[in-house]
Amino acid sequence: MADLVYYSHCSLDGLIADENGDFSWSFPPDDVHRAANEAAASTGLHLLGRRTYEVMRYWDEPQEGASDTEAEFQRAWAPAQKVVYSRTIDEVGPNARIEREFDASSARALAEASDADVAIGGADLGGQALRAGIVDVLTLVLFPVIIGRGLRVIPDDVRVDLHLVERRDFSAGIVRLSYRVARPTT
């Protein structure tokens, strides 16, 4: 059984993008990108909301002029399986399929059947997974910026107890924090 990992970049005030959808402040420096490559290489399946998938489609094909680090990410991302949750798109790229509705028990079953981690990408989808109690690990890459208003990485109506399992410092004051979700003991 693999972990279901909600992984996201965010501002110090917990936002993925500002109120206009801008997330350019979160473009990672090389050391952060290399760490994202490690995470992508250990992920067998990505569960993605439509907007996140549309951003990530860039990586489906090799990019001319890509740095070695970017090319390494593309080589990890492209062959991974992807499930895109969307009611509006009808086509997806290679190694991807569409699901019209997010079903928490089906997502949990995918992780239980997997030998490699299953990643959740996107604030809405991540929030649904947190609410449903199916996330095993929450990993946040914190950028030293305060946005004020925008798309929250964690919804307002969720309470989850966490145990810190990793803290990794990067250049430019960026920090990655990984937490295991506390499960009630029976």
Side-chain angles (χ1 to χ4, degrees), residues 83-106:
V83 177
V84 181
Y85 296 91
S86 174
R87 293 180 199 98
T88 59
I89 61 172
D90 294 318
E91 285 186 35
V92 289
N95 301 316
R97 65 183 171 88
I98 299 170
E99 290 288 333
R100 296 297 178 198
E101 300 291 332
F102 177 72
D103 179 69
S105 60
S106 294

Short mmCIF file of all heavy atoms in Angstrom, two decimals, residues 83-106:
data_model
loop_
_atom_site.label_atom_id
_atom_site.label_comp_id
_atom_site.label_asym_id
_atom_site.label_seq_id
_atom_site.Cartn_x
_atom_site.Cartn_y
_atom_site.Cartn_z
N VAL A 83 -5.12 10.62 -13.33
CA VAL A 83 -6.58 10.67 -13.34
C VAL A 83 -6.95 12.14 -13.20
O VAL A 83 -6.53 12.80 -12.24
CB VAL A 83 -7.21 9.84 -12.21
CG1 VAL A 83 -8.73 9.98 -12.23
CG2 VAL A 83 -6.78 8.38 -12.29
N VAL A 84 -7.71 12.65 -14.16
CA VAL A 84 -8.10 14.05 -14.17
C VAL A 84 -9.59 14.12 -13.82
O VAL A 84 -10.42 13.53 -14.51
CB VAL A 84 -7.85 14.69 -15.55
CG1 VAL A 84 -8.24 16.16 -15.53
CG2 VAL A 84 -6.39 14.50 -15.96
N TYR A 85 -9.91 14.84 -12.76
CA TYR A 85 -11.30 14.99 -12.32
C TYR A 85 -11.85 16.28 -12.91
O TYR A 85 -11.40 17.37 -12.55
CB TYR A 85 -11.37 15.00 -10.80
CG TYR A 85 -10.92 13.69 -10.21
CD1 TYR A 85 -9.59 13.47 -9.88
CD2 TYR A 85 -11.82 12.65 -10.04
CE1 TYR A 85 -9.17 12.26 -9.37
CE2 TYR A 85 -11.40 11.42 -9.53
CZ TYR A 85 -10.08 11.24 -9.20
OH TYR A 85 -9.66 10.02 -8.71
N SER A 86 -12.79 16.13 -13.84
CA SER A 86 -13.34 17.30 -14.51
C SER A 86 -14.70 16.97 -15.10
O SER A 86 -14.89 15.89 -15.65
CB SER A 86 -12.39 17.76 -15.63
OG SER A 86 -12.99 18.80 -16.37
N ARG A 87 -15.59 17.94 -15.01
CA ARG A 87 -16.90 17.81 -15.66
C ARG A 87 -16.91 18.53 -17.00
O ARG A 87 -17.89 18.46 -17.72
CB ARG A 87 -17.98 18.41 -14.76
CG ARG A 87 -18.20 17.65 -13.48
CD ARG A 87 -19.30 18.29 -12.63
NE ARG A 87 -19.19 17.85 -11.26
CZ ARG A 87 -18.61 18.52 -10.29
NH1 ARG A 87 -18.11 19.72 -10.51
NH2 ARG A 87 -18.55 18.03 -9.07
N THR A 88 -15.80 19.23 -17.33
CA THR A 88 -15.84 20.10 -18.51
C THR A 88 -14.93 19.68 -19.65
O THR A 88 -15.21 20.03 -20.79
CB THR A 88 -15.49 21.54 -18.11
OG1 THR A 88 -14.19 21.57 -17.52
CG2 THR A 88 -16.52 22.10 -17.14
N ILE A 89 -13.84 18.99 -19.39
CA ILE A 89 -12.96 18.63 -20.51
C ILE A 89 -13.32 17.25 -21.04
O ILE A 89 -13.85 16.40 -20.32
CB ILE A 89 -11.46 18.70 -20.12
CG1 ILE A 89 -11.12 17.73 -18.99
CG2 ILE A 89 -11.05 20.11 -19.78
CD1 ILE A 89 -9.63 17.63 -18.70
N ASP A 90 -13.04 17.06 -22.31
CA ASP A 90 -13.34 15.78 -22.95
C ASP A 90 -12.11 15.05 -23.45
O ASP A 90 -12.20 13.90 -23.85
CB ASP A 90 -14.30 16.00 -24.14
CG ASP A 90 -15.66 16.49 -23.68
OD1 ASP A 90 -16.17 15.97 -22.67
OD2 ASP A 90 -16.19 17.42 -24.31
N GLU A 91 -10.98 15.72 -23.45
CA GLU A 91 -9.74 15.11 -23.92
C GLU A 91 -8.63 15.35 -22.91
O GLU A 91 -8.54 16.42 -22.32
CB GLU A 91 -9.30 15.72 -25.25
CG GLU A 91 -10.10 15.28 -26.43
CD GLU A 91 -9.50 15.83 -27.72
OE1 GLU A 91 -8.27 15.96 -27.82
OE2 GLU A 91 -10.29 16.13 -28.62
N VAL A 92 -7.79 14.33 -22.76
CA VAL A 92 -6.59 14.45 -21.94
C VAL A 92 -5.42 13.89 -22.73
O VAL A 92 -5.61 13.18 -23.73
CB VAL A 92 -6.75 13.74 -20.58
CG1 VAL A 92 -7.72 14.49 -19.68
CG2 VAL A 92 -7.17 12.30 -20.74
N GLY A 93 -4.24 14.16 -22.25
CA GLY A 93 -3.04 13.73 -22.95
C GLY A 93 -2.66 12.29 -22.62
O GLY A 93 -3.46 11.53 -22.07
N PRO A 94 -1.42 11.95 -22.94
CA PRO A 94 -0.95 10.58 -22.74
C PRO A 94 -0.98 10.17 -21.27
O PRO A 94 -0.76 10.99 -20.38
CB PRO A 94 0.48 10.60 -23.28
CG PRO A 94 0.84 12.02 -23.48
CD PRO A 94 -0.40 12.83 -23.49
N ASN A 95 -1.25 8.90 -21.05
CA ASN A 95 -1.24 8.29 -19.72
C ASN A 95 -2.25 8.93 -18.77
O ASN A 95 -2.06 8.89 -17.54
CB ASN A 95 0.16 8.34 -19.09
CG ASN A 95 1.18 7.63 -19.94
OD1 ASN A 95 0.91 6.54 -20.44
ND2 ASN A 95 2.31 8.26 -20.17
N ALA A 96 -3.29 9.53 -19.31
CA ALA A 96 -4.30 10.19 -18.48
C ALA A 96 -5.69 9.70 -18.85
O ALA A 96 -5.94 9.31 -20.00
CB ALA A 96 -4.22 11.71 -18.64
N ARG A 97 -6.57 9.72 -17.87
CA ARG A 97 -7.98 9.41 -18.11
C ARG A 97 -8.82 10.39 -17.31
O ARG A 97 -8.35 10.98 -16.34
CB ARG A 97 -8.32 7.97 -17.75
CG ARG A 97 -8.20 7.65 -16.28
CD ARG A 97 -8.49 6.16 -16.02
NE ARG A 97 -8.19 5.74 -14.69
CZ ARG A 97 -9.03 5.80 -13.66
NH1 ARG A 97 -10.25 6.29 -13.83
NH2 ARG A 97 -8.67 5.40 -12.47
N ILE A 98 -10.06 10.55 -17.72
CA ILE A 98 -10.98 11.50 -17.08
C ILE A 98 -11.95 10.76 -16.18
O ILE A 98 -12.48 9.72 -16.55
CB ILE A 98 -11.78 12.28 -18.14
CG1 ILE A 98 -10.84 13.08 -19.05
CG2 ILE A 98 -12.81 13.20 -17.49
CD1 ILE A 98 -11.52 13.67 -20.27
N GLU A 99 -12.19 11.32 -15.02
CA GLU A 99 -13.28 10.92 -14.12
C GLU A 99 -14.12 12.17 -13.92
O GLU A 99 -13.59 13.25 -13.67
CB GLU A 99 -12.76 10.42 -12.77
CG GLU A 99 -12.05 9.09 -12.84
CD GLU A 99 -12.99 7.92 -13.09
OE1 GLU A 99 -14.18 8.02 -12.73
OE2 GLU A 99 -12.52 6.92 -13.64
N ARG A 100 -15.42 12.04 -14.01
CA ARG A 100 -16.31 13.20 -13.89
C ARG A 100 -16.52 13.65 -12.46
O ARG A 100 -16.77 14.82 -12.20
CB ARG A 100 -17.65 12.91 -14.56
CG ARG A 100 -17.54 12.69 -16.04
CD ARG A 100 -17.03 13.95 -16.73
NE ARG A 100 -16.88 13.72 -18.16
CZ ARG A 100 -16.16 14.48 -18.94
NH1 ARG A 100 -15.52 15.53 -18.46
NH2 ARG A 100 -16.05 14.22 -20.22
N GLU A 101 -16.44 12.74 -11.51
CA GLU A 101 -16.66 13.06 -10.09
C GLU A 101 -15.54 12.45 -9.25
O GLU A 101 -15.09 11.33 -9.53
CB GLU A 101 -18.00 12.51 -9.60
CG GLU A 101 -19.21 13.04 -10.33
CD GLU A 101 -19.50 14.51 -10.06
OE1 GLU A 101 -19.14 15.00 -8.96
OE2 GLU A 101 -20.06 15.16 -10.95
N PHE A 102 -15.14 13.16 -8.22
CA PHE A 102 -14.16 12.61 -7.28
C PHE A 102 -14.89 11.71 -6.29
O PHE A 102 -15.85 12.13 -5.66
CB PHE A 102 -13.46 13.75 -6.53
CG PHE A 102 -12.48 13.27 -5.49
CD1 PHE A 102 -11.29 12.69 -5.88
CD2 PHE A 102 -12.77 13.39 -4.15
CE1 PHE A 102 -10.39 12.24 -4.93
CE2 PHE A 102 -11.87 12.95 -3.19
CZ PHE A 102 -10.67 12.37 -3.59
N ASP A 103 -14.42 10.49 -6.19
CA ASP A 103 -14.97 9.54 -5.24
C ASP A 103 -13.85 9.16 -4.28
O ASP A 103 -12.86 8.52 -4.69
CB ASP A 103 -15.51 8.30 -5.96
CG ASP A 103 -16.05 7.28 -4.99
OD1 ASP A 103 -17.10 7.53 -4.37
OD2 ASP A 103 -15.39 6.22 -4.84
N ALA A 104 -13.97 9.56 -3.01
CA ALA A 104 -12.91 9.36 -2.04
C ALA A 104 -12.57 7.88 -1.85
O ALA A 104 -11.40 7.52 -1.75
CB ALA A 104 -13.29 10.00 -0.70
N SER A 105 -13.57 7.03 -1.80
CA SER A 105 -13.28 5.61 -1.58
C SER A 105 -12.54 5.01 -2.78
O SER A 105 -11.64 4.17 -2.59
CB SER A 105 -14.56 4.82 -1.27
OG SER A 105 -15.47 4.92 -2.33
N SER A 106 -12.85 5.44 -3.98
CA SER A 106 -12.11 4.97 -5.16
C SER A 106 -10.67 5.47 -5.14
O SER A 106 -9.74 4.73 -5.48
CB SER A 106 -12.80 5.43 -6.44
OG SER A 106 -14.05 4.83 -6.57
#
